[in-house]
Amino acid sequence: MSPRHSLADRLRQPGLVVAPGCHDAIGARAIAQAGFEAVYMTGNGLSASLIGAPDIGLLTMTEMVARGRALAAAVPVPVIADADTGYGNLNNVARTVAEYEAAGVAAIHLEDQVTPKRCGAMAGLALVSREEHAEKIRIAVATRRDPDFLIIGRSDARLPLGLDEAITRGKAYAQAGADLVLLEMLQSEDEMRQALREIEAPLMFNYVEGRVPSLTAEEFGRIGFKLLSYPVSSTLAYAHMMTAFARELKRSGTTRGLEANMLDLPSYEAFLGREHYA
């Protein structure tokens, strides 16, 4: 069974799929080796790791797809990828779907912001009409070749336009054929439960520290979500670790004392699967 088919099949079964986010293949390997069923490829983290810039729509579709291909090749579990706004109009969305599908990822989400977009946790979000984005979802569904390649309709309407508009958009994207719906930045358990009641599609949730209710994966599953990602958590942890590492090395002039927070080289080579190479 391919990772793509395994994700589609797993989401039809009871329970929650948890997909921690990462911005590179080494992160994807760590997530897969920890036993998670899926990996989430974060656009925010890619912007940080590839160009050292905030998530404000600077990366191209080609850059995002290339990293999606690398992650999908590095792990045996399905990769769920951020595809931003589809990188343009309906023709661009069709090409985006074709490229991500060919790259081997299992699912993408398309968001209803204007182009260039920005991180959904930022202030000043601007959205296209729900009709325009619903048409993008329809084109995405019609373009895919494999029905197990999942299209996730995402709305960022909650913060700028309110809960009612976010749910209305979620309904429209479900009706347009989205396999799952993602409403960014729901602000309470009551809002989550209302969205789950009113939208006739499985729901995904993005957990962003400090911006949404602090629930466990078990609690998200009990509420009724089918897919849970932690899109930027590992990138935040990496940035913190690198900042501390660089400062300590500059201060002390040695890595002595830092080894406890590192893999030794044999463990590192085993982590990367060195034994499988000639």
Side-chain angles (χ1 to χ4, degrees):
M1 182 183 297
S2 71
R4 183 178 296 160
H5 179 73
S6 71
L7 179 64
D9 183 65
R10 174 66 180 83
L11 288 170
R12 288 189 286 264
Q13 299 171 19
L16 176 73
V17 174
V18 180
C22 63
H23 57 257
D24 58 16
I26 193 170
R29 287 184 70 92
I31 290 165
Q33 290 181 21
F36 287 97
E37 296 180 88
V39 168
Y40 176 82
M41 186 186 84
T42 163
N44 187 308
L46 260 65
S47 188
S49 66
L50 287 177
I51 60 174
D55 184 15
I56 53 173
L58 298 175
L59 294 185
T60 65
M61 182 268 286
T62 304
E63 289 170 315
M64 293 285 287
V65 168
R67 187 56 66 93
R69 180 178 291 107
L71 266 62
V75 294
V77 300
V79 173
I80 301 155
D82 187 347
D84 295 318
T85 63
Y87 309 101
N89 64 15
L90 299 180
N91 293 322
N92 299 96
V93 169
R95 183 175 179 228
T96 294
V97 170
E99 293 289 339
Y100 271 97
E101 186 172 3
V105 305
I108 61 171
H109 64 69
L110 295 164
E111 62 201 61
D112 55 6
Q113 291 189 44
V114 300
T115 301
K117 52 74 55 111
R118 60 179 65 191
C119 172
M122 290 181 179
L125 301 180
L127 276 59
V128 300
S129 71
R130 77 174 74 107
E131 293 80 10
E132 179 178 340
H133 195 64
E135 188 61 23
K136 284 186 175 183
I137 298 298
R138 278 189 282 271
I139 289 294
V141 171
T143 299
R144 65 182 174 189
R145 295 184 176 183
D146 183 349
D148 286 335
F149 179 72
L150 302 180
I151 305 298
I152 303 167
R154 167 175 158 172
S155 178
D156 287 270
R158 170 62 187 88
L159 292 184
L161 301 177
L163 177 64
D164 289 345
E165 178 61 18
I167 291 176
T168 298
R169 285 172 177 251
K171 291 178 181 178
Y173 306 158
Q175 291 168 0
D179 300 289
L180 295 96
V181 169
L182 166 59
L183 301 185
E184 280 285 274
M185 298 294 139
L186 295 176
Q187 296 295 291
S188 70
E189 291 186 49
D190 286 344
E191 291 189 3
M192 297 174 197
R193 295 181 190 280
Q194 183 178 345
L196 284 157
R197 283 195 307 270
E198 296 188 21
I199 297 173
E200 294 184 0
L203 262 61
M204 174 181 177
F205 193 87
N206 272 351
Y207 183 86
V208 180
E209 289 79 3
R211 301 305 305 274
V212 298
S214 181
L215 305 178
T216 66
E218 182 181 357
E219 288 168 329
F220 281 114
R222 280 204 303 267
I223 289 171
F225 289 99
K226 291 298 297 179
L227 179 60
L228 171 66
S229 76
Y230 295 81
V232 75
S233 306
S234 68
T235 302
L236 296 175
Y238 175 79
H240 176 76
M241 180 274 294
M242 281 301 301
T243 299
F245 171 83
R247 286 175 176 171
E248 180 58 24
L249 181 57
K250 176 65 175 175
R251 184 197 67 80
S252 66
T254 179
T255 60
R256 291 196 302 269
L258 299 175
E259 293 94 335
N261 294 318
M262 301 179 187
L263 292 178
D264 59 38
L265 283 175
S267 298
Y268 174 68
E269 291 191 353
F271 169 79
L272 294 177
R274 176 66 182 86
E275 70 275 12
H276 299 302
Y277 293 85

